[in-house]
Amino acid sequence: QVHLVEYGGGSVQAGGSLRLSCVASYSVYAMGWYRQAPGKEREFVVAIDYEGEKIYYADSVKGRFTISRDNAKNAVYLQMDTLKPDDTAIYYCATSGRSARMNEGDIDYWGQGTQVTVSS
């Protein structure tokens, strides 16, 4: 069982930045983030493989969000810039042992979620 602990999140005005962190209890192949806005289904945001060679972004965040990882710390980071009110959601860290694309069916473990609120 992999335990995921998320850090960061909070409230920011539109155009601002936030950084999310997620630490896993041990090394995993792919790590990434999903989010769920109020009244909406959970959606994929971004994922990265172990080597950092395969990175997948949702179109809605390309050019604004940047994912990175530190394998020595079993950690993944999400730098979120130029935030918009539409980015408001609970952000969930997730891991997969088999697919860097991290479709929901590939997810092995989920974090508890951290709230991101962007005001206009």
Side-chain angles (χ1 to χ4, degrees):
Q1 177 108 16
V2 175
H3 294 284
L4 302 173
V5 180
E6 296 150 345
Y7 304 91
S11 298
V12 67
Q13 289 190 328
S17 299
L18 285 173
R19 187 176 189 242
L20 304 182
S21 303
C22 173
V23 179
S25 55
Y26 60 84
S27 178
V28 291
Y29 170 60
M31 301 183 76
W33 300 87
Y34 274 71
R35 68 186 182 186
Q36 187 167 21
K40 296 186 178 180
E41 294 187 353
R42 186 164 51 192
E43 65 175 3
F44 170 80
V45 177
V46 61
I48 185 170
D49 73 341
Y50 185 84
E51 294 81 9
E53 295 176 348
K54 298 178 182 178
I55 299 177
Y56 303 97
Y57 289 97
D59 288 343
S60 59
V61 305
K62 280 181 182 177
R64 301 187 299 119
F65 290 12
T66 304
I67 191 171
S68 60
R69 65 185 291 170
D70 183 341
N71 293 331
K73 298 179 180 178
N74 296 331
V76 65
Y77 308 101
L78 182 61
Q79 177 65 39
M80 304 184 293
D81 298 317
T82 320
L83 282 161
K84 304 175 181 179
D86 284 348
D87 295 317
T88 295
I90 299 174
Y91 283 70
Y92 296 92
C93 180
T95 68
S96 174
R98 54 192 170 280
S99 173
R101 289 191 178 272
M102 289 183 58
N103 295 321
E104 283 217 41
D106 298 319
I107 303 301
D108 297 317
Y109 299 100
W110 295 93
Q112 79 281 5
T114 185
Q115 178 70 47
V116 171
T117 302
V118 185
S119 58
S120 57

